[in-house]
Amino acid sequence: MHIERILAGWVDELEARIYRGLEVTGFVQDEAGVDVELSDGRSMRAQYLVGCDGGRSLVRKAAGIAFPGSEPTISNLIAVAELAEKPPEWGVRRDAVGTHALAPVEYEIRDGEIVYADHGPIGVLVTERSPGPNAEPTLGDLSAALIDAYGTDYGVRSAVSISRFTDAARQAAAYRKGRVLVAGDAAHVHPPDGGQGLQTGVQDAVNLGWKLAQVVKGISPEGLLDTYHAERRPVGARVLRNAMACAALRRDDDRTTALRDAIGELLGMDEPRRRFAAMMSGLDIRYDLGEGHPLLGRRMPDLDLIAEDGPLRVFTLLHDARPVLLNFGELGAFDLTPWADRVRRVDARCEGVWELPGLDAAPAPGAVLVRPDGHVAWAGDAGWSGLTEALGRWFGPPALS
Ligand SMILES: Cc1cc2nc3c(=O)[nH]c(=O)nc-3n(C[C@H](O)[C@H](O)[C@H](O)COP(=O)(O)OP(=O)(O)OC[C@H]3O[C@@H](n4cnc5c(N)ncnc54)[C@H](O)[C@@H]3O)c2cc1C
């Protein structure tokens, strides 16, 4: 809720219009745009339609984009509710069916120990004996699952929220079909293990947003949108793979316990732990932009710079979602004028180490071109070989003087 408020506040600042309380009920696309049908009977014409409408995405289905993957083998109910009776203890419990947990939503940490509030709503997580139906769960479902797991439902009532999640893992076969694109859970669903769904979806949107803006403004050709599928689908596939592996480790039989212990031992070692942390956090993502500097396609490190106006951090330069050419002194002669309306040039000094999760120190480049999504489009030195091509590829052809 807190994150939603922050994001909604940001959207307000951008003066994008939100139509609340309306649903998309269908659409028709032609060569020039998409007619979107709304639940109040009206329709809207748009150049492109991006379905960010969750795992059951109507937009994905109506576009005819396949969603292959694995069926659920297990399901969980997660809820915030009141209990009439206090359970003998709070916390996590494992049995042959799976993991269950009961605890007050409010707590504080005192001397390293969790101290739960003695009032307020209770967070409930309960594994169902067999995968529940693909429908909104009810208080009755929650009560039945609690009785199955704990022998009682503790008088559960007044649920603020109840939702069901499963270990199903599916990914859209295509992230773009003509003028329709999908992002977030509409493009990929997977078990929540490792907490990777939201970050992957937000990264989808950040990858797509600037490309879509450039195409709509006529800065770049439509083909730029195909790089969205090419870059983001492999990232989604990797998230599905590691979330499925984590979910498999949740089981409580002897063999899985042995496997969990073996993986635990492996993650006790520095290198495997570093690699897994870099992967699960998504901080090691490298888009395949071809051969070149080790930073090419990776996230630009958030280095401390000394620029003409004083010290600054690289990420502050990305706040207005425009490309930046950072010049560390080797590119004095490069003429950026044909892209000056789109690409900001910053001359700076940098003494930090160029390192990233998943990449040990990289050689410091003389200059680096950073896309609005924070990924490196080009990195090089005095000869600026390939910079003109990278500028054209990502930020449109040079302006005629
Ligand atoms: C238990 C659990 C824990 C998780 N923990 C984490 C975590 O720690 N970190 C993390 O990164 N991720 C986590 N996730 C995953 C994360 O919650 C999801 O990946 C994320 O919410 C997906 O966002 P979304 O906007 O793509 O889809 P959704 O959140 O499903 O939003 C879709 C929106 O589209 C709207 N919509 C649907 N159909 C239509 C229509 N036809 N017209 C108009 N609007 C429509 C819906 O009302 C909804 O508002 C967790 C998931 C679960 C189940």
XYZ file of all heavy atoms in Angstrom, residues 21-88:
491
model
N -11.557 2.977 -11.332
C -12.864 2.324 -11.295
C -13.349 1.830 -12.655
O -14.505 1.451 -12.791
N -12.503 1.898 -13.655
C -12.896 1.416 -14.988
C -12.069 0.202 -15.351
O -10.905 0.099 -14.958
C -12.622 2.497 -16.038
C -13.616 3.622 -16.170
C -13.159 4.572 -17.270
C -14.998 3.075 -16.503
N -12.663 -0.713 -16.105
C -11.902 -1.874 -16.571
C -11.828 -1.880 -18.077
O -12.753 -1.427 -18.751
C -12.571 -3.166 -16.104
C -12.300 -3.446 -14.662
C -12.776 -4.819 -14.240
O -13.082 -5.648 -15.118
O -12.846 -5.032 -13.030
N -10.735 -2.434 -18.588
C -10.634 -2.684 -20.022
C -11.403 -3.973 -20.271
O -11.177 -4.978 -19.597
C -9.154 -2.839 -20.436
C -9.043 -3.326 -21.883
C -8.406 -1.532 -20.247
N -12.350 -3.929 -21.227
C -13.146 -5.137 -21.493
C -12.767 -5.792 -22.818
O -13.176 -6.903 -23.107
C -14.655 -4.809 -21.488
O -14.865 -3.716 -22.398
C -15.136 -4.419 -20.100
N -12.004 -5.090 -23.638
C -11.566 -5.663 -24.912
C -10.871 -4.589 -25.727
O -10.794 -3.417 -25.306
N -10.339 -4.953 -26.878
C -9.715 -3.955 -27.760
C -9.603 -4.513 -29.166
O -9.699 -5.727 -29.373
C -8.330 -3.533 -27.242
C -7.333 -4.662 -27.217
C -6.611 -5.008 -28.346
C -7.130 -5.387 -26.052
C -5.721 -6.060 -28.329
C -6.242 -6.442 -26.027
C -5.532 -6.782 -27.171
N -9.432 -3.598 -30.096
C -9.204 -3.983 -31.497
C -8.012 -3.167 -31.965
O -7.995 -1.946 -31.799
C -10.432 -3.634 -32.377
C -10.171 -4.013 -33.837
C -11.681 -4.327 -31.857
N -6.991 -3.840 -32.522
C -5.855 -3.067 -33.025
C -5.828 -3.097 -34.544
O -6.212 -4.079 -35.171
C -4.525 -3.532 -32.432
C -4.086 -4.941 -32.712
C -2.610 -5.152 -32.330
O -1.762 -4.298 -32.581
N -2.307 -6.300 -31.712
N -5.387 -1.962 -35.122
C -5.162 -1.917 -36.567
C -3.762 -1.370 -36.794
O -2.988 -1.226 -35.844
C -6.251 -1.081 -37.262
C -6.351 0.322 -36.667
O -5.279 0.923 -36.429
O -7.470 0.812 -36.421
N -3.435 -1.009 -38.015
C -2.050 -0.607 -38.298
C -1.647 0.693 -37.617
O -0.472 0.922 -37.339
C -1.857 -0.464 -39.802
C -1.697 -1.826 -40.431
C -1.350 -1.770 -41.884
O -1.163 -0.673 -42.410
O -1.301 -2.859 -42.484
N -2.639 1.543 -37.321
C -2.298 2.866 -36.794
C -2.515 3.011 -35.290
O -2.033 3.958 -34.673
C -3.113 3.932 -37.517
N -3.259 2.092 -34.682
C -3.520 2.263 -33.253
C -4.398 1.160 -32.683
O -4.635 0.127 -33.321
N -4.872 1.413 -31.456
C -5.682 0.422 -30.750
C -6.944 1.111 -30.236
O -6.857 2.178 -29.615
C -4.900 -0.153 -29.536
C -5.624 -1.343 -28.936
C -3.474 -0.527 -29.904
N -8.123 0.525 -30.500
C -9.370 1.009 -29.900
C -9.633 0.171 -28.657
O -9.832 -1.038 -28.752
C -10.538 0.867 -30.885
C -10.441 1.899 -31.996
O -10.232 3.081 -31.679
O -10.521 1.506 -33.184
N -9.619 0.835 -27.497
C -9.734 0.125 -26.228
C -11.157 0.291 -25.700
O -11.639 1.418 -25.564
C -8.723 0.705 -25.206
C -8.794 -0.056 -23.896
C -7.311 0.676 -25.764
N -11.820 -0.841 -25.426
C -13.196 -0.779 -24.908
C -13.176 -0.768 -23.383
O -12.434 -1.540 -22.763
C -13.986 -2.007 -25.394
C -14.237 -2.004 -26.886
C -14.211 -3.402 -27.485
O -14.455 -4.369 -26.733
O -13.904 -3.511 -28.680
N -14.020 0.097 -22.795
C -14.037 0.245 -21.335
C -15.361 -0.238 -20.749
O -16.380 -0.292 -21.452
C -13.810 1.712 -20.964
C -12.494 2.303 -21.458
C -12.418 3.787 -21.158
C -11.303 1.576 -20.831
N -15.322 -0.540 -19.439
C -16.496 -1.146 -18.798
C -17.686 -0.197 -18.702
O -18.803 -0.626 -18.451
C -16.115 -1.665 -17.413
O -15.420 -0.671 -16.702
N -17.474 1.118 -18.912
C -18.631 2.033 -18.882
C -19.219 2.225 -20.276
O -20.038 3.117 -20.494
C -18.239 3.385 -18.265
C -17.233 4.139 -19.114
O -16.753 3.571 -20.123
O -16.904 5.289 -18.766
N -18.761 1.401 -21.228
C -19.345 1.453 -22.572
C -18.591 2.372 -23.519
O -18.794 2.328 -24.732
N -17.687 3.232 -22.941
C -16.937 4.132 -23.823
C -15.775 3.386 -24.457
O -15.427 2.283 -24.040
C -16.366 5.297 -22.999
C -17.384 6.381 -22.705
C -16.729 7.556 -22.046
N -16.120 7.190 -20.765
C -15.154 7.879 -20.179
N -14.645 8.940 -20.750
N -14.675 7.511 -19.003
N -15.131 4.010 -25.439
C -13.885 3.434 -25.950
C -12.862 4.549 -26.119
O -13.220 5.742 -26.151
C -14.134 2.682 -27.244
O -14.271 3.580 -28.301
N -11.612 4.170 -26.188
C -10.520 5.143 -26.303
C -9.593 4.700 -27.414
O -9.373 3.509 -27.575
C -9.671 5.118 -25.028
C -10.152 5.962 -23.954
S -8.967 5.730 -22.624
C -9.743 6.731 -21.435
N -9.038 5.654 -28.113
C -8.077 5.339 -29.169
C -6.675 5.637 -28.636
O -6.434 6.689 -28.038
C -8.387 6.224 -30.381
C -7.447 6.065 -31.547
C -7.840 4.904 -32.410
N -7.007 4.822 -33.609
C -6.879 3.721 -34.333
N -7.498 2.604 -33.982
N -6.151 3.725 -35.411
N -5.763 4.681 -28.801
C -4.384 4.893 -28.355
C -3.435 4.392 -29.439
O -3.814 3.548 -30.256
C -4.128 4.113 -27.067
N -2.220 4.927 -29.434
C -1.231 4.408 -30.396
C -0.763 3.013 -29.983
O -0.507 2.163 -30.810
C -0.038 5.344 -30.492
C -0.329 6.620 -31.254
C 0.951 7.422 -31.454
O 1.951 6.914 -31.903
N 0.905 8.679 -31.086
N -0.608 2.828 -28.675
C -0.169 1.525 -28.149
C -0.956 1.214 -26.883
O -1.440 2.126 -26.206
C 1.344 1.559 -27.812
C 2.194 1.648 -29.053
C 2.570 2.885 -29.570
C 2.594 0.498 -29.731
C 3.321 2.973 -30.731
C 3.352 0.574 -30.892
C 3.712 1.813 -31.378
O 4.451 1.896 -32.532
N -1.048 -0.082 -26.560
C -1.712 -0.512 -25.326
C -0.738 -1.425 -24.576
O -0.212 -2.384 -25.148
C -2.986 -1.284 -25.674
C -3.718 -1.971 -24.515
C -4.294 -0.948 -23.543
C -4.861 -2.849 -25.058
N -0.487 -1.095 -23.301
C 0.396 -1.947 -22.503
C -0.442 -2.596 -21.402
O -0.999 -1.900 -20.550
C 1.555 -1.132 -21.881
C 2.516 -2.081 -21.146
C 2.307 -0.340 -22.933
N -0.552 -3.907 -21.422
C -1.308 -4.633 -20.402
C -0.444 -4.843 -19.172
O 0.499 -5.627 -19.187
N -0.765 -4.093 -18.109
C -0.096 -4.286 -16.812
C -1.190 -4.774 -15.873
O -1.345 -4.255 -14.764
C 0.486 -2.981 -16.290
S 1.585 -2.173 -17.436
N -1.998 -5.709 -16.356
C -3.231 -6.072 -15.656
C -3.147 -7.432 -14.979
O -4.145 -8.142 -14.859
C -4.441 -5.975 -16.610
C -4.224 -6.691 -17.933
O -3.067 -7.032 -18.238
O -5.200 -6.918 -18.656
N -1.936 -7.781 -14.512
C -1.798 -8.927 -13.613
C -1.793 -10.276 -14.326
O -1.942 -10.377 -15.548
N -1.624 -11.335 -13.504
C -1.439 -12.683 -14.031
C -2.579 -13.178 -14.902
O -2.378 -13.977 -15.816
N -3.806 -12.720 -14.613
C -4.946 -13.178 -15.426
C -5.220 -12.222 -16.579
O -6.323 -12.194 -17.128
C -6.201 -13.305 -14.547
C -6.032 -14.312 -13.422
C -7.369 -14.621 -12.744
N -7.159 -15.477 -11.598
C -7.259 -15.089 -10.335
N -7.602 -13.842 -10.060
N -7.048 -15.937 -9.351
N -4.239 -11.434 -16.931
C -4.337 -10.353 -17.921
C -5.330 -10.560 -19.072
O -5.154 -11.444 -19.916
C -2.944 -10.110 -18.513
O -3.008 -9.220 -19.589
N -6.331 -9.702 -19.091
C -7.285 -9.718 -20.211
C -6.582 -9.261 -21.490
O -6.832 -9.792 -22.571
C -8.457 -8.786 -19.880
C -9.506 -8.621 -20.980
C -10.890 -8.646 -20.365
C -9.322 -7.344 -21.792
N -5.684 -8.288 -21.333
C -4.996 -7.738 -22.509
C -4.164 -8.836 -23.181
O -4.199 -9.009 -24.405
C -4.108 -6.532 -22.099
C -3.225 -6.080 -23.249
C -4.987 -5.377 -21.620
N -3.441 -9.595 -22.355
C -2.610 -10.688 -22.921
C -3.494 -11.708 -23.646
O -3.193 -12.106 -24.774
C -1.825 -11.367 -21.791
C -0.851 -12.438 -22.301
C -0.303 -13.284 -21.165
N -1.359 -14.059 -20.530
C -1.633 -14.041 -19.226
N -0.946 -13.311 -18.412
N -2.633 -14.772 -18.744
N -4.586 -12.095 -22.971
C -5.459 -13.115 -23.570
C -6.076 -12.593 -24.865
O -6.087 -13.287 -25.873
C -6.564 -13.516 -22.591
C -6.034 -14.332 -21.414
C -7.161 -14.622 -20.430
C -6.590 -15.116 -19.112
N -7.514 -14.915 -17.995
N -6.601 -11.348 -24.819
C -7.282 -10.810 -26.004
C -6.303 -10.600 -27.161
O -6.697 -10.636 -28.328
C -7.979 -9.496 -25.654
N -5.025 -10.379 -26.832
C -4.018 -10.209 -27.898
C -3.637 -11.557 -28.494
O -2.941 -11.616 -29.499
C -2.773 -9.503 -27.343
N -4.064 -12.648 -27.834
C -3.731 -13.984 -28.334
C -2.290 -14.368 -28.035
O -1.689 -15.155 -28.763
N -1.738 -13.785 -26.963
C -0.357 -14.126 -26.581
C -0.408 -15.352 -25.668
O -1.071 -15.330 -24.623
C 0.329 -12.938 -25.855
C 0.454 -11.733 -26.792
C 1.702 -13.350 -25.319
C 0.977 -10.461 -26.139
N 0.280 -16.420 -26.064
C 0.267 -17.661 -25.271
C 0.990 -17.432 -23.939
O 1.851 -16.552 -23.829
C 0.949 -18.773 -26.047
N 0.609 -18.244 -22.935
C 1.175 -18.073 -21.583
C 1.590 -19.459 -21.073
O 1.031 -19.983 -20.108
C 0.095 -17.459 -20.689
C 0.604 -16.757 -19.457
C 1.729 -15.945 -19.485
C -0.085 -16.874 -18.240
C 2.168 -15.283 -18.353
C 0.342 -16.208 -17.099
C 1.475 -15.411 -17.163
N 2.576 -20.079 -21.737
C 2.923 -21.450 -21.368
C 3.664 -21.523 -20.035
O 4.284 -20.553 -19.604
C 3.847 -21.894 -22.509
C 4.422 -20.633 -23.049
C 3.406 -19.548 -22.817
N 3.604 -22.698 -19.394
C 4.316 -22.877 -18.133
C 3.765 -24.043 -17.363
O 3.078 -24.903 -17.916
N 4.034 -24.035 -16.046
C 3.644 -25.197 -15.240
C 2.408 -24.900 -14.401
O 2.206 -23.774 -13.921
C 4.812 -25.618 -14.350
O 5.200 -24.533 -13.562
N 1.577 -25.921 -14.228
C 0.351 -25.832 -13.415
C 0.737 -25.787 -11.930
O 1.805 -26.280 -11.548
C -0.498 -27.086 -13.640
C -1.079 -27.214 -15.042
C -2.101 -26.133 -15.338
O -2.811 -25.726 -14.404
O -2.165 -25.687 -16.490
N -0.149 -25.259 -11.078
C 0.167 -25.261 -9.647
C 0.172 -26.667 -9.049
O -0.629 -27.512 -9.442
C -0.948 -24.422 -9.026
C -2.017 -24.325 -10.047
C -1.396 -24.572 -11.387
N 1.111 -26.900 -8.124
C 1.088 -28.158 -7.369
C 0.735 -27.881 -5.908
O 0.479 -28.780 -5.132
C 2.463 -28.858 -7.396
O 3.415 -28.016 -6.729
C 2.925 -29.132 -8.816
N 0.767 -26.610 -5.529
C 0.523 -26.238 -4.130
C -0.095 -24.839 -4.122
O 0.168 -24.054 -5.035
C 1.872 -26.271 -3.374
C 1.664 -26.319 -1.883
C 2.765 -25.122 -3.731
C 2.943 -26.615 -1.120
N -0.937 -24.552 -3.137
C -1.444 -23.174 -3.042
C -1.459 -22.727 -1.586
O -1.558 -23.547 -0.668
C -2.850 -23.062 -3.648
O -3.775 -23.797 -2.890
N -1.328 -21.424 -1.404
C -1.331 -20.821 -0.067
C -2.384 -19.737 -0.007
O -2.617 -19.046 -1.002
C 0.010 -20.150 0.229
C 1.131 -21.142 0.368
O 1.557 -21.724 -0.599
N 1.592 -21.346 1.585
N -2.975 -19.579 1.178
C -3.828 -18.417 1.410
C -3.039 -17.451 2.276
O -2.371 -17.871 3.246
C -5.112 -18.825 2.123
C -6.045 -19.749 1.338
C -7.260 -20.117 2.187
C -6.496 -19.084 0.036
N -3.088 -16.182 1.935
C -2.423 -15.160 2.742
C -3.490 -14.123 3.078
O -4.253 -13.701 2.197
C -1.193 -14.574 2.011
C -0.405 -13.652 2.915
C -1.547 -13.877 0.723
C 1.013 -13.387 2.428
N -3.586 -13.771 4.366
C -4.699 -12.906 4.775
C -4.297 -12.018 5.942
O -3.324 -12.296 6.658
C -5.885 -13.784 5.187
N -5.051 -10.956 6.102
C -4.968 -10.137 7.318
C -6.374 -10.165 7.904
O -7.342 -9.797 7.229
C -4.515 -8.702 6.997
C -4.577 -7.829 8.248
C -3.112 -8.697 6.414
N -6.493 -10.664 9.138
C -7.833 -10.885 9.708
C -7.780 -10.735 11.231
O -6.712 -10.517 11.806
C -8.309 -12.284 9.337
N -8.952 -10.876 11.869
C -8.995 -10.912 13.350
C -9.199 -12.351 13.785
O -9.884 -13.118 13.105
C -10.169 -10.080 13.859
C -9.875 -8.605 13.892
C -11.097 -7.821 14.348
O -11.980 -8.395 15.029
O -11.161 -6.646 13.999
N -8.615 -12.730 14.916
C -8.867 -14.043 15.502
C -9.578 -13.835 16.836
O -9.144 -13.002 17.645
C -7.550 -14.797 15.745
C -6.637 -15.052 14.529
C -5.425 -15.891 14.951
C -7.385 -15.737 13.404
N -10.666 -14.595 17.073
C -11.386 -14.462 18.344
C -10.552 -15.057 19.493
O -10.613 -14.587 20.624
C -12.734 -15.161 18.248
N -9.779 -16.120 19.186
C -8.959 -16.747 20.238
C -7.486 -16.568 19.900
O -7.110 -16.629 18.738
C -9.200 -18.263 20.290
C -10.618 -18.676 20.494
C -10.857 -20.073 19.903
O -9.944 -20.915 19.935
O -11.965 -20.274 19.370
N -6.659 -16.409 20.957
C -5.212 -16.256 20.720
C -4.578 -17.653 20.608
O -4.782 -18.501 21.488
C -4.603 -15.490 21.904
C -3.155 -15.128 21.711
C -2.702 -14.184 22.827
C -1.272 -13.771 22.673
N -0.299 -14.720 23.111
N -3.819 -17.918 19.528
C -3.146 -19.216 19.407
C -2.098 -19.386 20.509
O -1.602 -18.383 21.052
C -2.467 -19.141 18.044
C -3.124 -18.012 17.335
C -3.588 -17.055 18.379
N -1.716 -20.640 20.851
C -0.732 -20.853 21.917
C 0.600 -20.179 21.620
O 1.295 -19.739 22.536
C -0.569 -22.375 21.976
C -1.500 -22.975 20.986
C -2.254 -21.884 20.306
